[in-house]
Amino acid sequence: MEKLKDMNDTAKITFYGGAGSVTGANFLFEVDDKKILIDCGLEQGPETAEGTNWIPFSYNPREIDILFITHAHIDHIGKIPKLIHEGFNGKIYSTKPTRALTGPMLLDTAGILSKNKDFDLGKVFSEENINKAFLQWVAFEYHEKIKITDNLEVSFKDAGHILGSAMIEFIYNNKKILFTGDLGNSPSPLLPDTEKITDADYLIMESVYGDRNHESKKDRKNLLERIIEDNYKRKGTLLIPTFSLERSQELLFELNDLVENNRIPMMPIFFDSPLAIRLTEIFKQFRNYFNEKAQKELSKDQYLFDFPGLHSTLESKDSKKINETPSPKIIIAGSGMSSGGRIVHHEKEYLPDANNTILLTGYQSLGTIGRLIQEGIKKIRISGEMVEVRAHVENILGYSGHKDSDSLLNFVEDMQDSVKKIFVVMGEPKSSMFLAQKIRDNLGIEASVPQGGESVFISL
Ligand SMILES: [Zn+2]
């Protein structure tokens, strides 16, 4: 009997994805006879459509009781259709905005993957599998208490990373196990700050920026204003490659403010990303999830994310007309690292002219067009065509959606008195190791970096 009790007081966590890498988050939490997954993300990078993404899961999806989703980025939701395809029949739990944002995000990824002729992904990413996911999906408010068993309770805490993003807090035997998902770079223009957690016993935390600090973001709106004005004076076109989810809406929100307060001259602003336009419609439905300041500003403004001069171009025929509009003008389009999407066509058109500007608003991965432009390349191959880069290149780095190294440490410091062990995940190995070391050295808390596929036992 004693032995059985011991077993009941132990939980097992296996780090199937997002261990030793930023993307592909996928953790299995086994407690009280339940098999619970946290996130089911696609591994992203140059090899998205190949490699380990398409080999079968290392566990049996049929045996999983519940899949919890922290937020709607593809590296946290992208393998849901594959999980369904391999027989997952349990429930999916998330916040309400996450459920709403997941639909367009998965359909967009299905569209991109279907263009890759080397793989027959149609069956995995079928509409049927995506629709089935939503039949199994239950959405909750932050802090709503969800009872899983007599001894196991769960709730979502605001992570402040993107709309609806959550940390997942499990309580078992009065012990708290917290999975952070991605942690926001608070304060954000739109979202509330990451909730303060002071009493977790075990922490499974992200570490994308575990070894780096961000530049100050205090001046980013002023910088944006200055770049827009300089470009206007040259009568140029300002290109802003941007990520569809959160970054685009943040940018619209800030442009809205600059336009309506006459801080920038009037000119056409094209919002040329079908996915971002669809996601922005969802943001409009969830304005009660914004921070107080944003809600207050928006209560004065009947047209959320809309202002004089803004043209949202959903159809590609409208997108093509952008070229006919004389400069000065602004074009916002995906993808954020210029690795695809409509921005690529605009880059071919506008990069060769020294009166134009390209503004990079976030981290650019090694090998992407965005990264090469950032590094000052003068001639670049864009979808098979050599393009001269004479346009001005500007950067605003304060737009990162993740906490930096110091903020991650502050987040842990709040629970310094309670936390027994920390597992550092979702970062490049160098970044995760650095953060784990810093937690051990500065806070004296046990911290480790699990390997992909590794299991750990925690006593509860
Ligand atoms: Zn994320």
Side-chain angles (χ1 to χ4, degrees):
M1 226 28 221
E2 195 54 37
K3 202 168 178 208
L4 194 66
K5 188 177 180 305
D6 281 350
M7 284 304 289
N8 281 342
D9 293 348
T10 302
K12 183 180 176 187
I13 303 170
T14 309
F15 302 90
Y16 282 110
S21 67
V22 173
T23 62
N26 190 215
F27 311 114
L28 179 61
F29 179 44
E30 293 171 82
V31 63
D32 211 13
D33 289 331
K34 292 284 175 199
K35 286 183 194 291
I36 294 166
L37 279 181
I38 291 90
D39 286 338
C40 196
L42 205 64
E43 291 151 47
Q44 288 177 301
E47 280 144 34
T48 294
E50 46 193 274
T52 51
N53 268 326
W54 313 118
I55 59 175
F57 289 103
S58 310
Y59 45 84
N60 183 356
R62 288 169 208 280
E63 291 175 0
I64 303 297
D65 297 290
I66 308 170
L67 164 63
F68 279 86
I69 296 293
T70 60
H71 66 288
H73 272 146
I74 285 300
D75 57 329
H76 296 259
I77 58 169
K79 281 193 199 168
I80 294 175
K82 181 170 178 269
L83 196 72
I84 303 270
H85 192 68
E86 289 183 27
F88 169 65
N89 217 355
K91 291 276 183 228
I92 304 177
Y93 287 175
S94 77
T95 64
K96 289 177 181 174
T98 296
R99 186 183 192 278
L101 293 166
T102 293
M105 291 296 282
L106 284 182
L107 288 172
D108 184 72
T109 297
I112 294 166
L113 293 175
S114 69
K115 284 185 194 128
N116 191 320
K117 292 182 184 62
D118 299 339
F119 298 91
D120 182 20
L121 294 171
K123 279 190 200 134
V124 178
F125 268 82
S126 66
E127 249 181 86
E128 193 191 336
N129 284 340
I130 294 176
N131 290 341
K132 190 159 181 285
F134 288 102
L135 294 176
Q136 296 168 220
W137 200 310
V138 188
F140 299 89
E141 298 290 349
Y142 289 119
H143 302 137
E144 213 177 308
K145 288 188 166 52
I146 310 158
K147 218 170 168 54
I148 308 288
T149 68
D150 285 345
N151 301 316
L152 182 65
E153 195 177 87
V154 190
S155 60
F156 294 98
K157 299 286 168 83
D158 198 337
H161 168 60
I162 62 170
L163 183 70
S165 66
M167 303 180 263
I168 299 170
E169 185 182 84
F170 292 92
I171 303 178
Y172 180 74
N173 276 354
N174 289 321
K175 299 267 175 44
K176 282 192 180 175
I177 307 100
L178 184 74
F179 289 81
T180 65
D182 288 345
L183 292 168
N185 181 19
S186 306
S188 126
L190 277 177
L191 303 174
D193 290 356
T194 306
E195 265 183 68
K196 206 178 165 96
I197 309 283
T198 56
D199 55 357
D201 294 273
Y202 294 95
L203 180 64
I204 297 88
M205 76 180 296
E206 70 120 316
S207 57
V208 175
Y209 283 90
D211 63 344
R212 282 163 293 166
N213 281 326
H214 298 320
E215 288 176 14
S216 160
K217 60 184 159 183
K218 216 172 48 219
D219 304 323
R220 78 180 193 191
K221 210 197 267 177
N222 293 335
L223 196 56
L224 181 64
E225 183 180 341
R226 198 266 299 154
I227 292 166
I228 292 171
E229 281 164 356
D230 286 353
N231 184 75
Y232 183 83
K233 281 180 203 143
R234 289 193 301 270
K235 296 192 168 45
T237 295
L238 169 61
L239 295 183
I240 312 181
T242 188
F243 298 96
S244 302
L245 180 47
E246 200 68 30
R247 192 79 40 83
S248 289
Q249 292 77 26
E250 272 183 24
L251 197 59
L252 283 187
F253 184 69
E254 293 194 328
L255 286 170
N256 193 132
D257 184 57
L258 292 174
V259 168
E260 293 194 340
N261 291 302
N262 299 314
R263 282 175 60 184
I264 52 171
M266 277 295 281
M267 74 190 98
I269 300 176
F270 294 98
F271 190 36
D272 192 29
S273 163
L275 175 60
I277 294 168
R278 288 188 188 107
L279 295 172
T280 303
E281 289 307 310
I282 296 171
F283 272 64
K284 291 179 188 175
Q285 296 162 23
F286 288 102
R287 59 162 85 194
N288 54 326
Y289 285 76
F290 298 163
N291 65 40
E292 260 174 62
K293 190 164 169 277
Q295 288 199 40
K296 207 178 266 173
E297 279 176 46
L298 292 168
S299 66
K300 291 181 261 165
D301 191 346
Q302 189 186 350
Y303 301 103
L304 191 52
F305 301 112
D306 201 359
F307 45 88
L310 181 71
H311 307 273
S312 295
T313 47
L314 198 57
E315 305 293 331
S316 68
K317 64 174 193 321
D318 299 326
S319 170
K320 284 177 185 135
K321 281 188 199 145
I322 294 174
N323 286 352
E324 296 160 16
T325 306
S327 296
K329 61 188 171 191
I330 298 174
I331 305 171
I332 303 164
S335 73
M337 299 186 197
S338 306
S339 47
R342 290 185 183 169
I343 194 70
V344 172
H345 306 288
H346 298 304
E347 286 176 343
K348 284 199 238 177
E349 179 75 24
Y350 296 104
L351 285 179
D353 188 335
N355 290 323
N356 298 335
T357 310
I358 180 162
L359 169 59
L360 305 167
T361 59
Y363 177 71
Q364 308 290 316
S365 302
L366 210 61
T368 57
I369 289 174
R371 178 66 164 257
L372 293 167
I373 293 173
Q374 192 173 44
E375 287 170 347
I377 199 165
K378 294 290 167 218
K379 228 177 182 184
I380 190 169
R381 186 177 292 279
I382 300 179
S383 54
E385 214 174 282
M386 284 311 287
V387 178
E388 306 253 9
V389 185
R390 295 195 198 87
H392 292 245
V393 179
E394 300 273 7
N395 287 281
I396 301 183
L397 298 175
Y399 280 96
S400 169
H402 291 265
K403 283 196 197 313
D404 65 7
S405 187
D406 286 351
S407 308
L408 286 169
L409 200 70
N410 292 341
F411 174 79
V412 174
E413 206 171 3
D414 290 339
M415 57 186 92
Q416 192 174 7
D417 295 337
S418 64
V419 74
K420 297 174 180 67
K421 174 127 207 208
I422 297 175
F423 303 99
V424 181
V425 294
M426 293 179 280
E428 297 299 337
K430 188 167 81 65
S431 184
S432 304
M433 303 280 200
F434 186 90
L435 182 65
Q437 184 75 44
K438 222 165 123 179
I439 291 169
R440 290 192 296 262
D441 291 351
N442 295 14
L443 304 176
I445 300 166
E446 204 184 331
S448 68
V449 180
Q451 307 269 315
E454 189 181 330
S455 294
V456 296
F457 292 89
I458 54 177
S459 49
L460 297 170

